[in-house]
Amino acid sequence: MLSYALKRILISVPVIFGILLVTFSLSRLIPGDPCKAMLGEKATEATCQAFNHAQGYDQPIPLQFAFYVGKILQGDFGTSVRFSRPVTQIIIERLPLTAELALLALIVATITGVGLGILAARRHNSSVDIGTMILANTGISMPVFWLGLMLAYVFGVWARGTPFWLPPSGRLSAGVVSVPFYQAWGWQLSGGWAQVATFFSNFYIFNALVTGNWPVFWDALRHMILPVLTLSTIPMSVIARMTRSSLLDVLGRDYVRTARAKGVPDSRLVRRHALGNALLPVITILGLQMGALLGGAVLTETVFGLSGVGRMLVDAIFSRDFPVVQAFTVLIAVIYVVINLIVDLSYSYLDPRIRPQ
Amino acid sequence: MTKMKTAVAAAEANITAETLMGPAVPMWKRTWQRLLRKRSGQVGLFIIGFMVVIALAAPILAPYDPDQVLIGVEHVKRREAPCIHLLGCEASKPQHIMGTDENVRDVYSRILYGARISLMIGIVTVSVSLIFGVLIGAVAGFFGGWTDTILMRFMDVILGFPSLLLAIAIVAVLGPGIQNALLAVSIVSLPAYARVTRASVLSVKTLDFVAASQLLGASRWRILFRRVLPNALTPIVVLATLGIATSILDAAGLSFLGLGAQPPMAEWGTMLGSAKDQIFSAPHLVFFPGIAIMLTVLGFNLLGDGLRDALDTRLN
């Protein structure tokens, strides 16, 4: 098991290296002079020289790449042209929102998707089954951003004045302030620890939970409902379809028929005998769905006015802030690779047949 | 996109010589008959047929020029809600069954013309990634060795990115616009075709008739293109159909963000993107383009599912 894990980790290294190479090449493929592209056509020769020197663009390309990789390994993602701030700082502020959104969406998608899939498979060919599959097929075909806008309209406008009203944008209501846990507990932090603490305190729901600040907790949670619902629809549909077909497949196997012949009741049969095997392929799908979630987060954040990594990325493209574009692309891609690595490892842990002898 | 990745995983797992080698000649005819018997195939074909008719007949069906600004032409305001005479809208007002947009253009006409662009996007991107993806996968699978390793590692890197994210990054470099968006979406979907083709080729090339060709002295390229590839196409057909759906969705997403088709083009994603801030005052501007995208994507998804069932020799 350990040697398999090591081998699998080693396989991801070239992929991550490739991702760095691709993002680095992309930033060098920008037509024209990078300085003019980022600072604008009016940048003078002297400004450009200083800029190119500061960014390292006056070095040979392979050396630039080596520096680039070296810096990223040290957690230095360069400096934002637009904000004149380290990109790492921006990541610390923005990533928690995206991570919170994606994680909640993944949880919701998994629970409802697996639930619906089981329901559909157990009542195969019934109206429940057909209804669920129509729902899932529609869910897969829906543009995420459209669903988000429609939900914002329905819950933000139609439901105004009723208890079902939900905030259609933002992270917290006006006047509600999330107090970082380290301030609430009176910790004095400095340097790297302060950064780490800030990062975690920017998970508002988590932060409110550990500090027991219930008004903030509920407010943050309410703001998350629509974005999470939006983002989880596609993965939920995929998971529901996968669970259904996988469970149907398993329920048709000989060992299930044997158990049934021995008089095992239906619900126990599904729970104890079939579900374990049926969910294995679903786990693989979970890793791939993280791609949909991370990509969809860009669209969802745009719709709901949430200033996470995705929204920031799009803003950076329009303001031609390429260090930010590059850094965020690498960051999200590496997160995606690592998640799939974890999924693969857990898969081989759960399914002994995959494990090499 | 992830649906495609799922399909890739499933297709790769299912590829065996047996699934690939159905009965030889009347296969496509039989597939067609089976497809027509499946509910998903019927509905999918119907929706796509409907969209194709709309796209072709847009000039006849559309009451207005999609780009015509109607100020001064009729008495109608910006972002006017839908007005349908049959449903009790005053006869004195001009009929706009999906309302007007922020530039006082007829939304219904724009939606009809948008079908042309969306279908074009789906077909162009899938054709591009199909040609290059199949080529890469076929060469990798057939020749093996270093060629295989290098090509497939490169495909793995592309797969290492969440697809929409990589497409965004590519457009960021090339600059916003429909052509660049199409290119980005094509590049992003390459690995799916490459991997499935490779898996198909790997299993076909071990079959006896390939060895027979070799013994008869056929060149390697001839064997690859004339013997191996035609027999490895089945899973690729399914994937391409599903691929049209994801391409349309991804391209619409790019346009929504302002990175794809640019205004005033009557593209559904762009229409949605430019109306997103008006959702509370003019929801019809968001509602109709979204429905149009969803219906088209649903059609290709259902057709893809139907094709997969129809082509699966084990199920029939």
Side-chain angles (χ1 to χ4, degrees), chain A residues 20-75:
Chain A
L20 290 173
L21 195 61
V22 168
T23 43
F24 174 80
S25 322
L26 280 177
S27 73
R28 293 299 175 277
L29 283 174
I30 300 165
D33 182 9
C35 164
K36 290 263 161 68
M38 281 185 250
L39 298 185
E41 285 301 323
K42 286 181 188 161
T44 62
E45 202 56 42
T47 329
C48 267
Q49 249 173 19
F51 178 80
N52 284 342
H53 186 70
Q55 299 281 338
Y57 293 145
D58 50 357
Q59 304 282 340
I61 295 279
L63 208 60
Q64 284 186 34
F65 181 62
F67 277 135
Y68 171 69
V69 174
K71 276 185 167 176
I72 283 184
L73 288 178
Q74 294 166 26

Side-chain angles (χ1 to χ4, degrees), chain A:
Chain A
M1 183 63 205
L2 192 69
S3 69
Y4 172 75
L6 279 175
K7 204 175 141 198
R8 184 61 189 75
I9 291 169
L10 280 179
I11 292 175
S12 324
V13 173
V15 173
I16 291 181
F17 183 79
I19 286 171
L20 290 173
L21 195 61
V22 168
T23 43
F24 174 80
S25 322
L26 280 177
S27 73
R28 293 299 175 277
L29 283 174
I30 300 165
D33 182 9
C35 164
K36 290 263 161 68
M38 281 185 250
L39 298 185
E41 285 301 323
K42 286 181 188 161
T44 62
E45 202 56 42
T47 329
C48 267
Q49 249 173 19
F51 178 80
N52 284 342
H53 186 70
Q55 299 281 338
Y57 293 145
D58 50 357
Q59 304 282 340
I61 295 279
L63 208 60
Q64 284 186 34
F65 181 62
F67 277 135
Y68 171 69
V69 174
K71 276 185 167 176
I72 283 184
L73 288 178
Q74 294 166 26
D76 176 2
F77 283 97
T79 310
S80 159
V81 177
R82 186 174 165 216
F83 299 105
S84 305
R85 296 176 57 202
V87 179
T88 313
Q89 203 62 45
I90 301 176
I91 292 173
I92 289 174
E93 288 163 16
R94 309 286 184 125
L95 184 62
L97 168 59
T98 309
E100 201 167 70
L101 180 64
L103 274 178
L104 285 173
L106 183 68
I107 294 169
V108 170
T110 311
I111 294 173
T112 49
V114 169
L116 285 176
I118 295 173
L119 204 67
R122 288 195 56 181
R123 311 211 174 158
H124 187 40
N125 282 337
S126 73
S127 53
V128 177
D129 183 20
I130 295 166
T132 313
M133 283 308 109
I134 289 177
L135 195 77
N137 273 319
T138 322
I140 288 172
S141 310
M142 233 185 275
V144 182
F145 43 97
W146 178 74
L147 177 67
L149 287 169
M150 290 326 285
L151 285 175
Y153 183 68
V154 169
F155 286 96
V157 178
W158 278 8
R160 196 175 282 156
T162 71
F164 297 107
W165 180 83
L166 288 169
S169 69
R171 254 190 117 176
L172 289 173
S173 305
V176 178
V177 182
S178 168
V179 182
F181 62 88
Y182 56 93
Q183 280 179 18
W185 294 339
W187 289 2
Q188 298 296 327
L189 296 167
S190 61
W193 287 112
Q195 306 256 0
V196 173
T198 315
F199 177 77
F200 283 108
S201 69
N202 278 331
F203 288 83
Y204 284 0
I205 294 178
F206 163 79
N207 185 64
L209 199 66
V210 294
T211 53
N213 195 340
W214 302 114
V216 175
F217 177 77
W218 289 117
D219 194 57
L221 202 62
R222 270 171 69 88
H223 278 82
M224 272 297 178
I225 293 178
L226 291 183
V228 166
L229 215 57
T230 305
L231 192 52
S232 60
T233 304
I234 291 184
M236 181 206 78
S237 310
V238 176
I239 292 169
R241 282 168 50 119
M242 191 73 200
T243 309
R244 174 182 174 270
S245 66
S246 171
L247 188 57
L248 279 178
D249 181 41
V250 172
L251 284 176
R253 299 246 179 95
D254 287 346
Y255 82 93
V256 172
R257 199 182 332 148
T258 310
R260 193 168 268 151
K262 281 164 63 185
V264 179
D266 251 19
S267 57
R268 189 182 154 81
L269 189 73
V270 170
R271 239 181 319 119
R272 298 279 307 172
H273 298 259
L275 206 54
N277 283 327
L279 286 185
L280 280 172
V282 178
I283 293 170
T284 328
I285 297 300
L286 283 187
L288 292 175
Q289 289 311 307
M290 275 315 282
L293 286 172
L294 292 169
V298 178
L299 295 164
T300 310
E301 286 171 8
T302 306
V303 169
F304 290 102
L306 298 167
S307 48
V309 171
R311 180 66 231 161
M312 186 74 194
L313 177 67
V314 178
D315 284 346
I317 290 173
F318 285 112
S319 52
R320 310 192 72 77
D321 194 351
F322 289 108
V324 170
V325 176
Q326 198 179 2
F328 282 20
T329 313
V330 170
L331 184 73
I332 299 178
V334 169
I335 291 176
Y336 184 46
V337 170
V338 170
I339 288 172
N340 273 304
L341 176 68
I342 295 170
V343 167
D344 268 14
L345 290 180
S346 62
Y347 192 77
S348 69
Y349 174 74
L350 291 170
D351 187 352
R353 288 170 302 179
I354 310 267
R355 254 177 269 167
Q357 286 72 37

Side-chain angles (χ1 to χ4, degrees), chain B residues 9-66:
Chain B
E12 280 183 327
N14 279 337
I15 290 166
T16 58
E18 195 187 328
T19 55
L20 289 168
M21 306 304 296
V25 187
M27 178 176 138
W28 291 108
K29 196 179 163 196
R30 266 212 263 173
T31 304
W32 178 249
Q33 286 164 349
R34 282 189 209 133
L35 183 66
L36 287 180
R37 278 204 300 271
K38 302 267 183 228
R39 184 57 53 84
S40 57
Q42 290 166 358
V43 179
L45 276 175
F46 176 78
I47 296 176
I48 294 167
F50 180 69
M51 286 297 163
V52 170
V53 168
I54 285 180
L56 291 177
I60 305 167
L61 296 171
Y64 296 90
D65 181 324

